């Protein structure tokens, strides 16, 4: 796997929904999506369940591997490191809760660029 997209969230259910929709609606599906929630007390876990069917596990949404965890952490950087440890990609992209990708071709474009960069470096 070339790319892992990681979202960090804490008590931002509406932002998380926006971010998840942005990622899950990408035209490319050959990447993994990781959501690390810091044991939110709002409806963030319900947003994850509504989109992924499972919290604290793995599932496949639109042919894309999605990993979700919701547990207490020691702040944003701890959560980011958790996401990195969960990832299988050679590269990671952080897209935190409330952020969104510009359009549904962003990840596809990134994967093409990564492939081209890899091919050029092998020459």
């Amino acid at each position: 796997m070339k790319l892992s997209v990681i979202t960090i969230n804490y008590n931002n259910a509406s932002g998380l929904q926006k971010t998840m929709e942005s990622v899950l609606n990408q035209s490319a599906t050959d990447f993994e999506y990781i959501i690390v929630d810091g044991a939110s007390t709002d409806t963030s876990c319900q947003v994850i369940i509504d989109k992924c069917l499972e919290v604290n596990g793995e599932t496949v949404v639109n042919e894309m591997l999605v990993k979700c965890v919701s547990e207490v952490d020691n702040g944003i950087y701890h959560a980011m490191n958790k996401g990195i440890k969960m990832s299988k990609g050679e590269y990671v992209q952080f897209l935190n809760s409330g952020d969104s990708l510009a359009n549904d071709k962003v990840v596809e474009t990134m994967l093409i660029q990564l492939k081209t960069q890899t091919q050029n470096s092998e020459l």
Side-chain angles (χ1 to χ4, degrees):
M1 179 150 317
K2 201 72 163 166
L3 179 66
S4 300
V5 177
I6 302 171
T7 294
I8 306 303
N9 180 70
Y10 182 67
N11 285 338
N12 185 11
S14 62
L16 179 61
Q17 182 165 346
K18 172 184 167 186
T19 303
M20 289 181 69
E21 287 173 359
S22 171
V23 175
L24 296 175
N25 289 328
Q26 290 296 297
S27 59
T29 58
D30 52 340
F31 67 100
E32 68 180 350
Y33 184 37
I34 299 168
I35 303 158
V36 180
D37 178 71
S40 293
T41 57
D42 66 355
T43 58
S44 293
C45 282
Q46 189 59 51
V47 169
I48 295 170
I49 290 168
D50 290 347
K51 297 285 181 193
C52 298
L53 308 176
E54 188 175 337
V55 176
N56 296 331
E58 294 182 3
T59 190
V60 175
V61 179
N62 301 334
E63 300 179 29
M64 178 190 323
L65 177 63
V66 180
K67 300 177 185 177
C68 307
V69 64
S70 181
E71 61 189 19
V72 176
D73 56 50
N74 295 320
I76 190 168
Y77 299 111
H78 183 233
M80 292 170 89
N81 284 326
K82 260 191 226 182
I84 291 169
K85 287 178 184 172
M86 292 171 63
S87 72
K88 301 286 186 221
E90 289 179 54
Y91 298 91
V92 297
Q93 175 195 14
F94 285 98
L95 188 70
N96 290 333
S97 179
D99 296 339
S100 60
L101 298 168
N103 60 57
D104 65 353
K105 302 278 189 213
V106 171
V107 171
E108 180 181 345
T109 302
M110 289 172 52
L111 291 170
I112 290 168
Q113 290 296 321
L114 289 171
K115 184 177 180 180
T116 301
Q117 180 183 11
T118 301
Q119 289 171 343
N120 289 342
S121 69
E122 292 174 353
L123 296 178

